[in-house]
Amino acid sequence: MAVRVCLGFLILLLHSNFSTALYEDQVGLADWHQKYIGKVKQAVFPTQRTGKKRVVVSTEENVIASLDLRTGDIFWRHVLGKDDHVDQIDIALGKYFITLSSEGSILRAWNLPDGQMMWESALYGSTPSKSLLFVPANTNLGKENRILVFSGGWLHAVSSIDGEIIWKKEFAIDRLEIKQVFQPLESDIIYAVGFVGSSQFSVYQLSSKSGEVLKHNTASFPSGFCGEVSLVSSDMLVALDATRSALISISFQSGIINFHQTYISDLLQDFSGMAALLPVKFTGMFAVKTVSGICLVRVKGVSELEVIEKFNHPASVSDVLTISGEQQAFAIVQHAETKIDFKVKLDKDLRNDVLKETVEMDPQRGHVQKVFINNYIRTDKSHGFRALIVMEDHSLLLVQQGEIVWSREDGLASIIDSTTSELPVEKEGVSVAKVEHNLFEWLKGHVLKLKGTLMLASPDEIAAIQAMRLKSSERNKMTRDHNGFRKLIIVLTRAGKLLALHTGDGRVIWSLLLPSLHRSEACGHPSALNIYQWQVPHHHAMHENPSVLVVGRCGPSHDALGVFSVVDSYTGKERNSLKLAHSIIQVIPLPLTDSTEKRLHLIIDANLQAHLYPRTRDSVNIFLHEMSNIYWHSINVGKGVIRGYSLRSGCNLDVVDEYCFNTKELWRIVFPSESEKIATTATRKMNEVVHTQAKVLADQDVMYKYISRNILFVATVAPKAAGEIGSVTPEEAWLVAYLIDTVTGRILHRVTHQGAQGPIRAVVSENWVVYHYFNLRAHRYEMSVIEIYDQSRADNKDVRKLVLGKHNLTSPVSSYSRPEVMVKSQSYFFTHSVKAMAVTATAKGITSLQLLIGTIGDQVLALDKRFLDPRRTATPTQAEKEEGIIPLTDSLPIIPQAYVTHALQVEGLRGIITIPAKLESTTLVFSYGVDIFFTRIAPSRTYDSLTEDFSYALLLITIVALVAAIFVTWILSEKKELREKWR
Amino acid sequence: MRSLRPTSLLPFLLLLLLLFFSFSSAFQSDELLQDDEEFGLEGAPRSPDLDHPSPTRPPPRRRPNPDFSSSVSSSDSKSVQFVLEHAFGDSDFSPAGTFTARLKSWSHGRQTLTKLRFSRNALTEAEKAVFERLLKDDDFYRIRVPSNVLSPPGKDYVLSSVRARCIPRETLDEHFVIHMYGVNILAVNYGSAGACQYPRLLNYPAKWSFNSYTLLKNSEEAPRTPTFAEELLAGESGLGEGVKPPEKSFWAKYWMYLIPLGLIVMNAITQAMNMAEEPTAGQPASQGQQAVAQRAPNAAVRRR
């Protein structure tokens, strides 16, 4: 009976933590959220009075945003769809922000103050072409402005007030490419200029009222054009010829087309190779980019070109900015080691600079990539200039008066991979101060604090003390904590920059723009691929700092040579970098470490040869010992083939390389191309811990989980159904889910879902896989779970056998034994589509699991794994209820309190990463997209620690009171006894 | 027409029945039509107990009469063959046996294989020697089959392999599970017939002949997602009286009142019992007091 009651209480306890929600005042205690926009592509500065403090930008992450020029904060922001790339932006009517996106097919207007969409027009073209946007400068506000959009072979005139298409005109001539569309100020004629083929130049003059062609002239130029043009004035263009070595100035005044060719070598003596025209808008001049640098050329007449200035690389030139009437200005930014030179010139006086400033620049930001210039009126009524600068690491800076006013670390909007690192241990005898600051700063801090307590501090100092307190408060310390909540998250961004974020508040501890991923002669288009744990000292080599391995590639193709870089996790210094002599197809971190705790990595190259790193004697000895038990697999999605390999010594190289190994194909699975196409694959996380191998059922029966590190989940779909949802009928669509053992290539389980379609998201953990797809028959999203159990050990149930040792639980498990598995599966409807899926991970794997689902609303939803139990039945028995089985429902519940991100949105969510904390009940969750978000969650509540709002004072008071009461009563009783005795 | 032995006639009649049944129904069920786990070996037990399929060599039995079969299923089923090839370690692939199966065409145009049979070629002396070396090195014994049985090798070969030391027992025991989709072979699960101990010990078979078990496997159909839409609707319509709380026992309902009540009652009883005892217990107490009272003056006297 007592056991029953106990059990009942336990179940009650278990049931009580279905949803773990936060109170409002707990938001931000354990979590942080950072908003980003991505690398800025274009920026425009509103000139109207109210918008002068702002800048509107479009970025490579398809974000449009309005930023505060004073602080860099986001006023408003919209993340457009994944394929909705912003091509052109401009401002119309002084109050609308116009974007042309999706290859010129969608034109939208947004209200500048609050970012609301005012109108949207879909523009249909017939042929794919470059999209051009021209918003005529409005001289008088009352007049209706027409936005000219060229896209898909059509020229559209769109009303800027409501987005209505007023007229459209097709340029249906074969091979015609319109390069520029413009309307001179105060003119009713629209010019459209372009090339037909490679050698014909064509000018159209259209009426701005109706779009009819008023005049059409063509002229051909025998040596051809390469396609790049730069508009110099309303009747003159400069183009590059087909060999990119000569400039052709074209004038088309009043219908007469004149060509004049100037060789670049005549202008620049040291010119060689190819030139390119920079896409900047100037009047009366243009910019040419050559191998050696950027060159500004003034156009005096058709035949008269004059070089104004030459800058060596790296440099960047801004668009021209019209200031007060006729004057025009532009900015040039040049990089000089750790400084940048910012110069502003007026077009009237090109020889001299109006403004020349030198700004100190963090070398970890790389070179200047883009510059946008803006002017303001100084206090002394003169013109001041500020510049928005986009750096190589995608960060955005505002430079004014020779200082960086603000900077945004927008590279964090494009995280491609991440890993974690423990912080240094707080050593006995060594003050924390030593880890954090030097002695002087430590002393200064204490003096400040003393001042604060003596009430001598000025407001500035009080703020400094506050900041220091925040920094040294428990969650933001730079040392390891007992619960394992404080860690470093090391992220790799698309720009090839490594950043270490502190889990306490998300601040950047260090950043490193990887020098090995810098563009160089040997490495043309470097790209970062992945980040791995390289060295995690915990038993040996404790005095060494941990380090991470960054793997990159020198070009876009798979056979490009690899780059390899080891970075210290504490200091952010590159310890070692290598240019590999082979390509990188796959990196396999092995579960082996050498004597200095460096993890062994196998890198598979394009010739299917495996290279072992680190290249030391020690590692090769360890590796050779385990080589016969190492298998790997490759998945060829295009061909629909999965192959498994083993390794053997020796390589087919000219030179003897003992770190190179040959591979041998062991198995091959071929999906028939007419019926199946690989959609998704998923494997278990390498560092996952499983606490128990057995599952005890309500009827005292035991099921053994089939726990294998080598399980691979593959989902294939019908090739016809590989497209969008709804593109096929349910009869034509199916989804096949496979569980494959990657050592032997055995298909352990295979199941077909008729009428199901991707996109598929899957997560594998322990002995189960959960995958999400669309059910065309039910018109709903569905989630399926497959649990796999080992039958070969199912006999080990008899206690006597276990006691006598007659069981096979301790014998090694071989993949070559014929698997006897039992599979249980179940499907449930789910309301949302899913962007990413992950599962919580805890230190010992005891805590019950939760699925973390990135929803379409860019939030992270925690769903208890018990909802995805294949053993759920509609009417569970009492015993099953006690086991914690939830009655079967057809759809999975979405509990509003279960949103891990509570009210926040992680815009453009791409990935969710879970990191176990040292405290068993807690998982750290890091999710990233355009924004980043970090929190810690406890799937079964923090059963192993007291909550933060636990009143220690009350406990202490109670204890003290009790002790006091004991003493008082004791004294009283003594006295009484004495009295009794004296009576 | 030759006469058939009655023992072989029975399976044929069964097959005929099966075929007839599936063809007669015009209704296309979404239930999986093909027989799922079919042991290719005639005479092998059709029990789902995969642990101990009785090992049988393919009996040298007569091929079924083609006329007979054609008269039954109207040329819907024809025989196909595909070759199993093997390789020892790094050697090239060479033919090792032949799979024979019936190709069945279904009314909806799909073709499937049934009745898989396998005949292994006997190992030659040279092959035996190579195999022995393979066992010694604990190297891989690899096999392959074409990925399309109608037009071999189809898109590619399907490859599988096993550590050679997993195969030998009494004879060389091997187990094939061929995963099919129509006439395409996706994968072959190939390995020993049972467990393969690790570490793998070197032992040679008593008989150098293969003992093969083969199994054709097609994909299972996932069960439909259960829908309770009707129940939910029903529940919503009768919102008021729909869900009645389950009847609880008196004890379950009121235990929290009953326990304190019981305690109070018990307390009262013990008190009542004490009260009853008081008169008897009171006397010695008063005597004691008297004794003290008597002694006290003495003490006072002594102090004086």
Side-chain angles (χ1 to χ4, degrees), chain A residues 949-967:
Chain A
D949 52 354
F950 180 81
S951 176
Y952 288 94
L954 194 69
L955 181 72
L956 215 72
I957 288 166
T958 315
I959 291 168
V960 168
L962 276 174
V963 169
I966 286 166
F967 269 100

Side-chain angles (χ1 to χ4, degrees), chain A residues 400-673:
Chain A
Q400 187 179 328
Q401 294 157 11
E403 259 182 84
I404 298 171
V405 184
W406 51 261
S407 65
R408 294 179 58 86
E409 200 68 68
D410 273 308
L412 284 171
S414 52
I415 294 173
I416 51 175
D417 201 3
S418 74
T419 185
T420 51
S421 165
E422 295 287 344
L423 285 161
V425 185
E426 195 169 346
K427 285 194 193 87
E428 208 61 50
V430 179
S431 157
V432 186
K434 197 184 169 188
V435 187
E436 285 177 55
H437 330 276
N438 54 30
L439 188 71
F440 178 69
E441 291 209 355
W442 179 79
L443 256 175
K444 209 167 78 181
H446 275 265
V447 169
L448 261 178
K449 273 182 195 165
L450 200 71
K451 263 187 174 176
T453 43
L454 296 175
M455 303 210 189
L456 293 169
S458 66
D460 275 355
E461 282 169 334
I462 289 171
I465 293 166
Q466 272 298 330
M468 216 158 56
R469 277 208 188 120
L470 203 71
K471 213 176 142 194
S472 65
S473 78
E474 201 54 29
R475 71 181 250 212
N476 297 334
K477 270 189 187 168
M478 278 301 292
T479 52
R480 218 173 280 188
D481 64 334
H482 183 69
N483 290 336
F485 292 164
R486 292 199 297 260
K487 283 181 201 300
L488 285 180
I489 302 176
I490 300 173
V491 297
L492 178 65
T493 69
R494 191 141 34 80
K497 193 175 188 181
L498 269 185
L499 295 112
L501 308 174
H502 193 285
T503 55
D505 55 356
R507 67 180 190 274
V508 176
I509 302 296
W510 53 259
S511 64
L512 173 73
L513 190 70
L514 285 167
S516 53
L517 286 171
H518 225 272
R519 185 176 297 211
S520 64
E521 299 272 307
C523 200
H525 297 276
S527 60
L529 288 178
N530 286 101
I531 178 167
Y532 301 91
Q533 300 272 10
W534 179 249
Q535 191 180 17
V536 186
H538 57 272
H539 287 310
H540 320 288
M542 270 306 273
H543 56 280
E544 277 189 63
N545 290 355
S547 53
V548 292
L549 165 71
V550 180
V551 170
R553 184 185 278 161
C554 268
S557 68
H558 280 288
D559 48 1
L561 295 183
V563 182
F564 199 95
S565 170
V566 177
V567 180
D568 191 313
S569 304
Y570 289 170
T571 60
K573 298 275 176 297
E574 193 172 44
R575 268 197 216 165
N576 192 356
S577 81
L578 269 179
K579 288 245 184 317
L580 305 187
H582 53 83
S583 55
I584 297 175
I585 296 289
Q586 211 171 333
V587 182
I588 306 167
L590 298 173
L592 305 169
T593 51
D594 70 1
S595 57
T596 55
E597 302 252 356
K598 284 196 183 101
R599 188 162 292 278
L600 268 55
H601 286 73
L602 267 187
I603 293 184
I604 312 292
D605 69 6
N607 302 325
L608 292 180
Q609 283 171 344
H611 302 264
L612 180 72
Y613 291 90
R615 294 168 80 93
T616 56
R617 240 345 318 149
D618 184 27
S619 69
V620 114
N621 287 339
I622 294 167
F623 179 76
L624 284 175
H625 193 250
E626 286 291 328
M627 193 172 76
S628 63
N629 288 333
I630 293 171
Y631 302 85
W632 64 279
H633 67 275
S634 72
I635 300 161
N636 190 334
V637 176
K639 285 186 178 152
V641 180
I642 303 177
R643 290 184 168 91
Y645 301 89
S646 71
L647 297 165
R648 50 188 49 217
S649 316
C651 236
N652 320 328
L653 289 178
D654 303 333
V655 283
V656 179
D657 184 355
E658 58 177 331
Y659 304 104
C660 180
F661 299 90
N662 229 332
T663 57
K664 178 175 163 180
E665 190 176 346
L666 290 185
W667 53 266
R668 193 187 298 164
I669 294 173
V670 183
F671 296 108
S673 52

Side-chain angles (χ1 to χ4, degrees), chain B:
Chain B
M1 194 181 270
R2 283 177 291 176
S3 72
L4 286 151
R5 273 186 289 168
T7 44
S8 59
L9 198 68
L10 195 71
F12 262 104
L13 278 172
L14 273 172
L15 184 79
L16 190 146
L17 217 90
L18 198 85
L19 278 175
F20 209 77
F21 177 72
S22 52
F23 275 107
S24 59
S25 58
F27 158 73
Q28 227 184 70
S29 163
D30 61 346
E31 197 182 329
L32 198 70
L33 288 166
Q34 52 268 50
D35 2 16
D36 210 25
E37 294 190 342
E38 187 184 1
F39 282 93
L41 297 177
E42 299 271 315
R46 274 183 147 271
S47 74
D49 182 13
L50 302 180
D51 297 350
H52 310 288
S54 70
T56 40
R57 302 276 301 137
R61 56 185 303 284
R62 259 185 304 161
R63 302 274 309 272
N65 193 325
D67 297 341
F68 182 76
S69 71
S70 68
S71 69
V72 172
S73 53
S74 60
S75 80
D76 267 334
S77 91
K78 62 176 187 188
S79 175
V80 286
Q81 281 193 337
F82 54 95
V83 181
L84 173 89
E85 292 173 295
H86 64 177
F88 304 92
D90 293 331
S91 77
D92 286 336
F93 283 95
S94 59
T98 319
F99 285 100
T100 317
R102 300 233 132 240
L103 183 70
K104 225 191 266 180
S105 302
W106 298 95
S107 51
H108 52 278
R110 255 184 82 180
Q111 292 176 310
T112 52
L113 292 188
T114 53
K115 297 182 73 184
L116 183 77
R117 287 184 228 168
F118 178 54
S119 70
R120 255 271 188 196
N121 303 344
L123 283 176
T124 62
E125 281 303 315
E127 281 173 338
K128 209 189 280 180
V130 181
F131 204 102
E132 264 181 63
R133 209 173 62 227
L134 213 62
L135 285 176
K136 227 173 266 170
D137 299 344
D138 194 18
D139 209 344
F140 293 98
Y141 175 67
R142 301 194 291 168
I143 56 137
R144 73 175 188 189
V145 289
S147 71
N148 189 314
V149 294
L150 287 188
S151 54
K155 192 176 161 191
D156 206 342
Y157 282 101
V158 170
L159 222 77
S160 193
S161 61
V162 70
R163 291 270 181 187
R165 287 187 188 179
C166 287
I167 299 177
R169 294 182 178 194
E170 284 294 296
T171 53
L172 296 169
D173 288 3
E174 58 180 357
H175 189 273
F176 294 89
V177 181
I178 302 179
H179 289 268
M180 304 283 304
Y181 180 85
V183 293
N184 292 300
I185 298 176
L186 265 77
V188 179
N189 293 5
Y190 178 69
S192 62
C196 180
Q197 298 293 332
Y198 186 86
R200 292 176 285 269
L201 303 172
L202 175 63
N203 48 3
Y204 296 103
K207 236 174 93 187
W208 283 93
S209 65
F210 275 99
N211 200 356
S212 317
Y213 308 87
T214 56
L215 183 63
L216 269 187
K217 227 174 185 176
N218 277 293
S219 181
E220 288 172 33
E221 193 83 11
R224 286 252 185 111
T225 312
T227 45
F228 304 130
E230 300 82 30
E231 289 170 38
L232 283 175
L233 282 175
E236 263 170 47
S237 61
L239 206 65
E241 76 274 66
V243 210
K244 268 188 189 167
E247 201 58 52
K248 282 184 189 168
S249 68
F250 178 75
W251 177 247
K253 262 186 193 165
Y254 301 114
W255 63 270
M256 62 284 264
Y257 306 112
L258 289 176
I259 288 173
L261 199 79
L263 284 172
I264 290 166
V265 167
M266 270 170 70
N267 210 9
I269 287 169
T270 45
Q271 287 230 332
M273 278 169 75
N274 285 351
M275 292 263 273
E277 280 170 25
E278 202 114 321
T280 50
Q283 272 177 339
S286 58
Q287 279 170 2
Q289 267 180 4
Q290 279 168 2
V292 172
Q294 283 167 359
R295 230 182 291 141
N298 294 353
V301 170
R302 223 179 287 160
R303 225 180 278 164
R304 278 192 212 122

Side-chain angles (χ1 to χ4, degrees), chain A residues 780-820:
Chain A
R780 285 207 257 181
Y781 285 100
E782 233 174 56
M783 265 174 139
S784 282
V785 56
I786 301 175
E787 285 188 3
I788 177 163
Y789 292 96
D790 194 351
Q791 288 291 87
S792 64
R793 299 194 291 169
D795 307 332
N796 303 313
K797 283 172 192 163
D798 202 339
V799 180
R800 267 172 300 163
K801 267 190 183 172
L802 288 176
V803 171
L804 295 172
K806 280 184 184 167
H807 59 84
N808 59 356
L809 289 177
T810 47
S811 61
V813 179
S814 171
S815 281
Y816 285 107
S817 299
R818 195 155 67 84
E820 298 160 45

Side-chain angles (χ1 to χ4, degrees), chain A residues 15-235:
Chain A
H15 274 269
S16 63
N17 44 30
F18 258 137
S19 60
T20 48
L22 288 175
Y23 290 104
E24 199 180 348
D25 60 338
Q26 285 176 315
V27 167
L29 277 182
D31 55 316
W32 46 264
H33 179 231
Q34 295 175 358
K35 287 179 172 182
Y36 292 105
I37 53 174
K39 185 186 183 182
V40 171
K41 251 192 326 197
Q42 284 153 317
V44 284
F45 297 88
T47 46
Q48 291 295 309
R49 185 155 292 282
T50 48
K52 273 198 172 169
K53 291 176 210 156
R54 302 184 181 191
V55 57
V56 213
V57 295
S58 75
T59 73
E60 287 185 353
E61 301 293 324
N62 303 344
V63 178
I64 53 169
S66 170
L67 304 178
D68 189 335
L69 270 180
R70 306 264 158 83
T71 61
D73 293 340
I74 298 169
F75 272 116
W76 54 260
R77 175 179 68 153
H78 294 292
V79 182
L80 304 183
K82 213 175 89 190
D83 302 316
D84 200 4
H85 302 289
V86 181
D87 301 318
Q88 304 279 334
I89 60 169
D90 212 330
I91 286 176
L93 295 176
K95 58 181 179 181
Y96 290 162
F97 173 52
I98 308 287
T99 60
L100 182 66
S101 61
S102 285
E103 284 154 354
S105 62
I106 302 172
L107 187 70
R108 294 190 184 97
W110 314 83
N111 195 16
L112 269 178
D114 56 5
Q116 289 206 25
M117 188 159 79
M118 303 312 287
W119 49 260
E120 181 182 51
S121 291
L123 311 172
Y124 300 103
S126 46
T127 50
S129 72
K130 201 179 152 190
S131 53
L132 303 165
L133 173 74
F134 182 78
V135 180
N138 49 335
T139 42
N140 47 345
L141 276 170
K143 202 181 142 203
E144 184 198 352
N145 270 302
R146 286 170 184 186
I147 301 167
L148 300 174
V149 178
F150 179 79
S151 69
W154 288 77
L155 182 66
H156 304 259
V158 183
S159 161
S160 57
I161 290 167
D162 53 5
E164 193 192 345
I165 298 169
I166 296 163
W167 52 259
K168 54 184 187 175
K169 166 97 185 78
E170 188 180 10
F171 290 89
I173 300 160
D174 199 27
R175 293 167 65 209
L176 172 73
E177 257 189 278
I178 297 290
K179 290 290 176 193
Q180 290 280 351
V181 174
F182 60 95
Q183 183 177 13
L185 227 64
E186 305 294 327
S187 157
D188 280 341
I189 295 168
I190 297 164
Y191 288 86
V193 295
F195 299 113
V196 183
S198 63
S199 61
Q200 274 225 327
F201 178 73
S202 214
V203 183
Y204 290 86
Q205 290 182 29
L206 301 104
S207 151
S208 71
K209 293 271 178 296
S210 60
E212 65 180 305
V213 177
L214 303 173
K215 227 182 243 179
H216 175 214
N217 303 302
T218 49
S220 79
F221 183 73
S223 57
F225 304 100
C226 81
E228 284 180 19
V229 291
S230 189
L231 190 69
V232 176
S233 66
S234 63
D235 55 5

